[in-house]
Every structure is written in structure tokens, then in C-alpha cells.
Amino acid sequence: MNDVTTGDSILFITETDPGVLLQNLQNYGLSRRETEVLLWLTRGKSNVEIAVILDMSKRTVDKHLEHIFTKLGVESRAAAVAIIRNACNAG
């Protein structure tokens, strides 16, 4: 964002309390494990990478994402990420 009076750039940094974020996501009916999968998804990780990080099979990650998409009422990874970003801003 730019300050219109000086032309200087202004940087806003927002820190989200992980507990608040977790609660916001669980309000969507997500399990704790689904929330973990979704958090890694927002960090740009592939299903294979998420499986390795969370010590589960890729098929399990796929299934968690199916459930996440249904619970959030979305059909894509990008839409799910948009939901979590909104949840972050609500915190």
C-alpha cells in the first residue's frame, strides 16, 4: 500500500494466533487432521509433500481433501485456500 501524501510504501504485517485460526477452521466442521492438511495446502504443498510431512499416504491426503472440499462447499484447491485466507483475516 502506498501513502498518498508522501508516496512512501507502507507494509502491513498481520500475525494470526494459531489457536484462533484452528477454531475458525473447525467452525467449518473440519477435523483437526483435515485442518492440518488444509494448512499445508495453503503453503503450496502438493498432495505427495503433505503426505510426507504429515506421515500419511497420498491416498489419505486425497481423501481428506475430498472431505475438506465438501465441507467448505468448494471444488478446487484455490477456492479452499481462499476460505482459509478469509478465516485468517477473521482471526
Side-chain angles (χ1 to χ4, degrees):
M1 171 182 266
N2 289 325
D3 183 336
V4 293
T5 59
T6 65
D8 293 336
S9 294
I10 301 170
L11 174 65
F12 288 99
I13 299 175
T14 305
E15 184 174 330
T16 302
D17 177 353
V20 170
L21 177 58
L22 181 63
Q23 182 60 47
N24 286 345
L25 292 173
Q26 288 177 339
N27 288 338
Y28 287 99
L30 299 179
S31 71
R32 183 172 193 88
R33 201 63 163 162
E34 289 167 344
T35 300
E36 292 172 344
V37 169
L38 184 54
L39 289 171
W40 284 109
L41 183 74
T42 65
R43 294 178 180 148
K45 300 300 182 187
S46 70
N47 292 14
V48 172
E49 291 171 319
I50 294 169
V52 170
I53 292 165
L54 296 179
D55 193 28
M56 62 177 64
S57 73
K58 180 194 171 290
R59 180 67 186 129
T60 301
V61 173
D62 295 342
K63 206 48 140 163
H64 280 311
L65 287 173
E66 285 178 29
H67 294 157
I68 290 166
F69 291 175
T70 299
K71 290 178 180 182
L72 297 181
V74 299
E75 296 182 4
S76 70
R77 298 168 77 87
V81 169
I83 294 286
I84 194 172
R85 290 202 172 125
N86 287 336
C88 288
N89 292 332

